[in-house]
Structures are given as C-alpha cells and as structure tokens.
Amino acid sequence: MRRVVGMATTAERYQYALKALVSLTDQVDEIHLYNNGVELEDLTDNGKFWGLTLEDEPCYYFSCDDDLIYPPNYIETLVNEIEETKCIVTHHGRLL
C-alpha cells in the first residue's frame, strides 16, 4: 500500500520544513505539503490533513510536523505497528 505524508508549513518555517521533508523523502511514495498563507485558506496545523482530500485509494497516511527531523525508520516502524495492531498508531517524543 502507498505511504503518504501530509505536512503543513508557512513561508517563515520553510527552512525547518525542508529538513523535515528531506528526512521523510526516501521513506514514502508521496508528500502533500500545505503552505499556509499561499494556499486558498490558512488551515494552520490542520493543513497536514489536506492531502487526504487528494487520495482516492487506500493508503498509509502520516501527518507529520514541519519542525522535526524524522529517523530513517520512522515510517517503517509505524507501518509495522499498524499491521500488528490494526489501529491508528502514533509516536510521542520528548527530550528529557
């Protein structure tokens, strides 16, 4: 099944979003980037789900933030967990 990322950003956050996108590029088939302030409507963080409106086939859809650098196995570990549990899966990271 296709692996798709949705992300929202703004022009002011582009430098961060670029790093996040680079960290995900080799892990997915497609990335939908919603640029608040340029698109028709400012959806804020909800813009990361805009890409769902473009999908007409089942896929793994990952909502990702524009200020994180994702590990190289991020998508793979989520897909494996989804397949094992058959439910929505999320990660929460924190630096202590």
Side-chain angles (χ1 to χ4, degrees):
M1 193 175 328
R2 289 178 54 248
R3 298 169 183 200
V4 180
V5 160
M7 184 181 293
T9 195
T10 63
E12 296 82 19
R13 297 173 64 87
Y14 179 74
Q15 64 184 4
Y16 307 111
L18 186 58
K19 292 177 183 177
L21 292 168
V22 167
S23 71
L24 291 164
T25 299
D26 291 338
Q27 300 185 56
V28 296
D29 301 301
E30 190 166 349
I31 297 175
H32 297 293
L33 181 64
Y34 192 90
N35 192 347
N36 286 299
V38 174
E39 304 294 341
L40 298 174
E41 185 178 356
D42 186 349
L43 298 178
T44 64
D45 197 41
N46 293 323
K48 67 176 77 174
F49 298 104
W50 165 77
L52 282 171
T53 66
L54 306 175
E55 295 297 322
D56 56 2
E57 298 286 329
C59 67
Y60 293 108
Y61 192 90
F62 303 94
S63 62
C64 293
D65 291 335
D66 65 350
D67 60 350
L68 298 175
I69 297 173
Y70 293 87
N73 65 343
Y74 180 74
I75 299 296
E76 179 183 359
T77 60
L78 285 175
V79 168
N80 290 341
E81 191 67 23
I82 291 167
E83 287 298 316
E84 184 176 318
T85 62
K86 303 296 185 203
C87 66
I88 295 172
V89 175
T90 185
H91 282 295
H92 178 79
R94 180 172 292 229
L95 180 62
L96 301 174

